[in-house]
Amino acid sequence: MMNQDHHTPILSGFMLGNHRVTTPVILSPMAGVTNWPFRVLCEDYGPDGLYVAEMITARALVAGNPKAFRLTRFAPSEKFRSLQLYGVNPAIVQQAAAMIVDGNLADHLDLNFGCPVPKVTRRGGGSALPWKTDLLQDIIHRVVAVCQPAGIPVTAKIRTGIDDDHSTMREAATIIEGEGCACVTLHARTTAQYYGGHSDWSKIAELKQLVSIPVIGNGDIWSAEDALAMVEQTGCDGVAVGRGCQGRPWLFADLKNAFAGSCQRVSPSLGQVCQVIMRHARLLVDFYDGDETMAVHDLRKHIAWYLKGFPVGGHTRAAFMSCQNLADLQRQLDALDPQIPFPDALSDKPRGRTRYAKKVHLPYGWLDSRRLNNQERQSLYESDVEDASY
């Protein structure tokens, strides 16, 4: 991927505990997307970054949910294993962290305090949780206490706040640093923004001035040039990429090259994209223990992203959605023109979800105080409000 001549690195990486992330790029956890087959594709293009598994619910892990344990699996090629954990009951999150440590399931644990999805926030989790500073501090304190003796760095991901009137990032980042986390990732949107509009990168710069641990910027990285612009504007220590790599795992090659000071970029033909799709499918078959139907069904959303912008008709796209095995998939791929060039006009445009949240779903009275009241504390600490099914 890289030119053989020498370049001056623009950003040289950051430390995560005792582990150096040489390429300062993180694959953000995305539900239903960042299982190990997709992570392997991304890491092949951009070695030495940080590739995080999709979010696991602490309650599901503690309950022994098979899907949760499937998501803890890593490919043999993944030398540094990163898991992301979500939960609202401190005791259950602590228990899940202990299972990860005792079972040697990961080398790095990220805590999700940034998810804006209603089924998470209505329980007080994800991006709703940092509003309650005592709850945030308790969860992080417990998890670091479990992970630190095992040499497992803990990190946290947050948003800027609930909405423009209820900011949480400054207090949250201070707690995150104070409780011993190795770095903080800021998705520079509020919960109310969901994935709409443009993220406010000035908030990343603000956070960089506030804490001394590495700050990773997240939001609207659609191209290597976006990543360079974010670093220049904010001084962040690295970038986290989510929707921008959907259907484009080669974006990590562009990012690696850009931070190494190279202008080399990847622009695959449709034939080359088809080869990536087929490799992705075969990896998914391994992920699903040989079940081709499960693998091809999982691949459907990815195919829509892979083919985005290519002049492939609706009938052909529909045919991909009816594939049931690898032979069906190969037959559809063989029918495409491999010489069609990559639609560069779409290479730096938004992908995936772009809408605003219609309403922020929170527990009743959640915004009345920055600390838990007795009823909230009893509900979160003594009851089982989390869902063990995902």
Side-chain angles (χ1 to χ4, degrees), residues 349-363:
K349 298 296 188 294
R351 309 169 75 82
R353 296 168 293 185
T354 57
R355 66 185 185 278
Y356 283 84
K358 294 181 179 178
K359 177 185 177 182
V360 178
H361 295 264
L362 299 169

Side-chain angles (χ1 to χ4, degrees), residues 96-147:
M99 290 176 65
I100 290 168
V101 171
D102 295 343
N104 188 27
L105 300 181
D107 304 304
H108 159 232
L109 186 60
D110 185 53
L111 296 173
N112 183 301
F113 303 118
C115 181
V117 175
K119 70 178 180 180
V120 170
T121 60
R122 68 164 52 101
R123 295 185 174 93
S127 56
L129 196 147
W131 181 254
K132 300 297 187 180
T133 54
D134 51 343
L135 178 61
L136 178 71
Q137 186 164 13
D138 193 13
I139 289 176
I140 297 174
H141 182 83
R142 290 177 185 235
V143 172
V144 171
V146 167
C147 293

Side-chain angles (χ1 to χ4, degrees), residues 364-377:
Y364 178 77
W366 192 252
L367 297 178
D368 291 348
S369 170
R370 292 303 305 267
R371 298 179 67 83
L372 295 169
N373 60 37
N374 289 337
Q375 184 177 353
E376 290 166 341
R377 180 171 292 276

